[in-house]
Amino acid sequence: MRCIFCKQDSSGSRSVEHIVPESLGNKSHVLPTGVVCDRCNQYFALKIEKVLLEQEFFKNLRHRNAIESKRGRISPSEKVLGTITFSEGEIYISNKGMNVVTVDPLSAQFIMSEW
Ligand SMILES: [Zn+2]
């Protein structure tokens, strides 16, 4: 069998290629072993997937969808969204000491009623 990417012999490869990355919640849509060689699989995992997962968008996406890491952890929201503070009817969302969102009292009341 030859790897679909590098065309090298991949008959000894053991890694499973996820069509959609496992880190985005895919546990069932995989290609049989050998379709992608271990070397290419490792390359995509380290050079592409790891870099993508470090982006705030993907951290937030993984948190919102409660996608666990391989160690069974879900990233905490304060690392993704920031700290949420309620004060005098307003909601403040801050991240790393910077106020990123302030919600006015009327909108805060609406948001709180929806929770
Ligand atoms: Zn390959």
Side-chain angles (χ1 to χ4, degrees):
M1 183 177 276
R2 293 201 177 279
C3 171
I4 60 172
F5 295 115
C6 69
K7 311 298 184 204
Q8 299 295 309
D9 179 22
S10 59
S11 49
S13 294
R14 306 183 64 85
S15 57
V16 174
E17 177 70 14
H18 289 75
I19 297 168
V20 172
E22 185 178 12
S23 56
L24 296 179
N26 173 32
K27 296 201 183 288
S28 56
H29 301 290
V30 297
L31 296 173
T33 55
V35 172
V36 176
C37 73
D38 289 344
R39 190 167 173 230
C40 286
N41 190 299
Q42 188 77 354
Y43 174 84
F44 288 117
L46 293 175
K47 299 292 184 182
I48 297 172
E49 194 176 321
K50 185 175 182 290
V51 174
L52 279 178
L53 294 177
E54 291 169 350
Q55 305 296 311
E56 289 301 317
F57 174 83
F58 286 101
K59 286 182 185 176
N60 199 341
L61 178 104
R62 294 185 74 211
H63 177 78
R64 281 186 284 125
N65 291 288
I67 299 171
E68 295 178 351
S69 69
K70 286 193 178 192
R71 295 179 184 158
R73 294 188 201 145
I74 297 171
S75 62
S77 62
E78 60 266 13
K79 282 187 179 172
V80 176
L81 186 60
T83 306
I84 300 175
T85 309
F86 304 95
S87 175
E88 298 177 15
E90 294 188 333
I91 298 174
Y92 301 90
I93 301 172
S94 58
N95 197 341
K96 297 174 184 165
M98 293 177 57
N99 203 28
V100 292
V101 175
T102 302
V103 180
D104 65 87
L106 189 62
S107 299
Q109 196 174 21
F110 174 75
I111 292 168
M112 295 304 291
S113 70
E114 293 295 309
W115 280 352

